Amino acid sequence: MDSFVEEILLSNKEIVEVCERLGEQITADYRDKKPILVGLLKGSIPFLAELMKHIKCDLEVDFMQASSYVGVKSSGAVMVLKDMITPVVGRHLLIVEDIVDTGLTLQEVMNLLSDRGAASIEVVTLLDKPEGRKVEVDLKYVGRRIPNKFVIGFGLDYNELYRNLDYIGVLKASVYKK
Ligand code: 5GP
């Protein structure tokens, strides 16, 4: 195990199994709908890449990058750093997220996209930390519920590092308390 990792929560084999299961469900639900998978950068990239291999229907892929404002308002308005290119009017959108914690980012992104006239908007997330939730968000597809710990790997970073790990692990507290 890598020296900065406290515990492995999902091995690469388990991640692939999760993606197979989610892919089957999404295939059944989106047959004939030609969904747009909307990957939220940067963390969703490895998950989106693995997941889409297991979705056996026509689909398109686009990306968005949103960053939460840390401001006086606790409602957490998001700043769009990179927007989608594909027009969304009348389209079925499936937002692909790495992890949902407070739910604030996702809530804002969903509001923004529904204002643009999408036919439907659902969410698929690899990880869910329900204990951290501050706002209700409807997560249609969840890979794995995990405890309220800071995790890294498979797209998830700490100060932009560790996204390249092929597993999900809990970061040792000694790394961020240095
Ligand atoms: P939320 O708005 O739900 O609080 O934020 C979700 C975003 O926070 C995720 O897309 C991710 O970038 C970040 N995040 C939340 N929990 C973790 C975690 O345990 N590890 C890492 N690396 N990022 C996290």
Side-chain angles (χ1 to χ4, degrees):
M1 193 157 70
D2 288 306
S3 61
F4 44 83
V5 172
E6 183 76 47
E7 177 193 355
I8 293 177
L9 289 188
L10 270 99
S11 66
N12 187 265
K13 185 169 172 285
E14 288 172 307
I15 293 172
V16 173
E17 284 166 3
V18 161
C19 290
E20 284 169 357
R21 169 174 61 80
L22 295 173
E24 265 178 39
Q25 292 171 10
I26 293 166
T27 304
D29 294 348
Y30 283 88
R31 213 178 286 286
D32 305 324
K33 289 189 174 161
K34 200 164 76 169
I36 308 175
L37 303 192
V38 184
L40 297 190
L41 296 171
K42 304 172 189 171
S44 70
I45 291 175
F47 175 47
L48 189 148
E50 183 58 46
L51 176 68
M52 68 191 289
K53 292 191 271 181
H54 306 286
I55 303 177
K56 310 290 184 194
C57 64
D58 285 347
L59 58 81
E60 294 178 32
V61 174
D62 206 337
F63 294 96
M64 241 181 127
Q65 188 169 8
S67 125
S68 304
Y69 279 106
V70 182
V72 280
K73 280 205 312 180
S74 61
S75 61
V78 296
M79 184 162 49
V80 175
L81 302 176
K82 185 215 171 290
D83 209 339
M84 291 177 65
I85 293 168
T86 324
V88 303
V89 177
R91 300 296 304 270
H92 297 279
L93 308 183
L94 184 56
I95 300 174
V96 182
E97 183 57 303
D98 49 3
I99 187 166
V100 180
D101 184 16
T102 63
L104 289 168
T105 311
L106 206 46
Q107 186 189 51
E108 290 294 319
V109 169
M110 289 175 85
N111 287 343
L112 193 147
L113 291 175
S114 70
D115 286 349
R116 294 180 183 177
S120 71
I121 305 177
E122 299 290 356
V123 177
V124 55
T125 184
L126 176 59
L127 303 171
D128 179 19
K129 290 203 288 195
E131 290 164 55
R133 202 72 89 248
K134 289 188 180 159
V135 288
E136 277 284 316
V137 274
D138 185 17
L139 307 177
K140 183 150 189 192
Y141 309 97
V142 173
R144 181 73 70 87
R145 289 202 173 81
I146 62 165
N148 205 4
K149 293 180 174 177
F150 190 81
V151 293
I152 49 160
F154 213 73
L156 288 154
D157 75 309
Y158 170 65
N159 281 350
E160 293 300 325
L161 295 179
Y162 312 123
R163 293 190 197 276
N164 53 327
L165 306 179
D166 75 352
Y167 62 90
I168 301 279
V170 177
L171 186 64
K172 274 189 183 161
S174 57
V175 176
Y176 51 87
K177 285 190 176 149
K178 260 188 224 164

